[in-house]
Amino acid sequence: EVQLVESGGGLVQPGGSLRLSCAASGFAISSYWMSWVRQAPGKGLEWVANIKQDGSEKYCLDSVKGRCTISRDNAKNSLYLQMNSLRLEDTAVYYCARNRVAPPDFWGQGTLVTVSS
Amino acid sequence: DIQMTQSPSTLSASVGDRVTITCRASQSISSWLAWYQQKPGKAPKLLIYKASSLESGVPSRFSGSGSGTEFTLTISSLQPDDFATYYCQQYHSYPWTFGQGTKVEIK
C-alpha cells in the first residue's frame, strides 16, 4: 500500500525553525519528483517546494525562498522540509506529495505547523 | 506568477445534476492543468491531469476540457460522494499555483 506520513509539525514561535519529515512506503521515492504543499486553516492550497529524483533540481515558493530547504534521502525513502525564520503566515497544514505525471498524484495526510507566540 | 481563477466560488446542486466548474489562467498554460477534489480534514485527491486525462480509479462521470487559458471540470451526474471542494492547479511553470477553490454544496 502506498503511504506518505508527515511528521515534525507543532507549535513554534515566530522566528523559530522546524524540520518536517515525510516517510514513504509502498513505493520508492527515488523514481519521483516530490513536493510540499501547504494549506492555511480554512484557506486554499499553496505549493511550497519541489525536488527532483536525485536532488539536483529544487524549487521553492518566492515567499519562502531563503527560508526553506527541501531535501531528500532516497536510501531512507524520506523527504524533508526545513523552514527557518517562521512567520505567522506560515501557519498551515503541510502535505508531502508524490509527482507521478507532474502534478502531485498522491498526498500524505499532512502535519500542522502553528506559528504563534 | 500565473494566477488561476475559478468560478463559481460556491455551487449548490442536487444529486443527479450536471455540474461545471470553470478555471481561467492569467496566461497560456497549454494543457498543463490538474483538478483535485478535497473533503474536510482530508488530503486532496487528483482527479484530472493534463487538462483532460482521467486519473486511474476516478469515476468516468468526471471529465476535464480546455487548453490555453480556459478550462472546465464537469461532473455529468452529481453523486452524494461528490460534495466537496474542487481546485484547479497549473504546472506549466514555477511557482505552481492553485485556484481559490469551488465548494459544491447540497441544494
Side-chain angles (χ1 to χ4, degrees):
Chain A
E1 181 191 5
V2 171
Q3 273 198 312
L4 290 167
V5 179
E6 301 93 337
S7 60
L11 177 64
V12 62
Q13 291 191 334
S17 299
L18 268 183
R19 189 191 195 213
L20 305 180
S21 300
C22 173
S25 58
F27 72 101
I29 69 164
S30 58
S31 297
Y32 301 91
W33 280 78
M34 298 293 291
S35 295
W36 287 98
V37 177
R38 67 185 179 183
Q39 186 168 34
K43 302 297 185 182
L45 300 166
E46 182 176 51
W47 170 81
V48 175
N50 274 10
I51 185 168
K52 194 176 179 179
Q53 287 92 330
D54 61 358
S56 61
E57 292 183 43
K58 303 177 184 182
Y59 301 90
C60 271
L61 182 65
D62 277 352
S63 61
V64 301
K65 201 173 286 184
R67 302 190 295 120
C68 98
T69 302
I70 185 171
S71 61
R72 62 195 297 158
D73 186 334
N74 288 340
K76 293 183 177 180
N77 219 27
S78 293
L79 176 72
Y80 306 100
L81 182 70
Q82 174 77 34
M83 291 280 291
N84 302 320
S85 304
L86 284 163
R87 306 168 181 170
L88 298 179
E89 57 266 32
D90 294 318
T91 294
V93 173
Y94 284 73
Y95 295 101
C96 75
R98 180 184 77 176
N99 299 282
R100 178 177 56 81
V101 289
D105 72 297
F106 188 82
W107 302 54
Q109 286 307 301
T111 186
L112 176 62
V113 173
T114 303
V115 183
S116 175
S117 55
Chain B
D1 297 3
I2 298 174
Q3 307 303 316
M4 306 301 293
T5 304
Q6 287 181 233
S7 60
S9 296
T10 307
L11 187 160
S12 296
S14 301
V15 172
D17 284 354
R18 181 181 181 87
V19 166
T20 298
I21 299 169
T22 298
C23 179
R24 184 173 288 110
S26 60
Q27 64 189 74
S28 177
I29 58 170
S30 184
S31 295
W32 304 116
L33 183 101
W35 289 97
Y36 297 89
Q37 176 193 70
Q38 188 180 34
K39 295 181 179 179
K42 301 293 187 182
K45 174 186 175 182
L46 179 65
L47 300 175
I48 302 282
Y49 62 96
K50 210 172 179 185
S52 60
S53 296
L54 191 68
E55 175 69 352
S56 176
V58 174
S60 58
R61 62 180 180 273
F62 291 93
S63 63
S65 65
S67 66
T69 61
E70 296 275 340
F71 302 87
T72 58
L73 173 70
T74 300
I75 309 172
S76 60
S77 178
L78 198 66
Q79 298 302 300
D81 191 49
D82 301 337
F83 291 97
T85 299
Y86 294 83
Y87 293 93
C88 62
Q89 180 223 338
Q90 68 82 17
Y91 52 102
H92 172 271
S93 58
Y94 290 114
W96 288 357
T97 46
F98 291 85
Q100 81 278 15
T102 295
K103 186 175 183 180
V104 177
E105 298 180 329
I106 300 173
K107 190 172 184 179

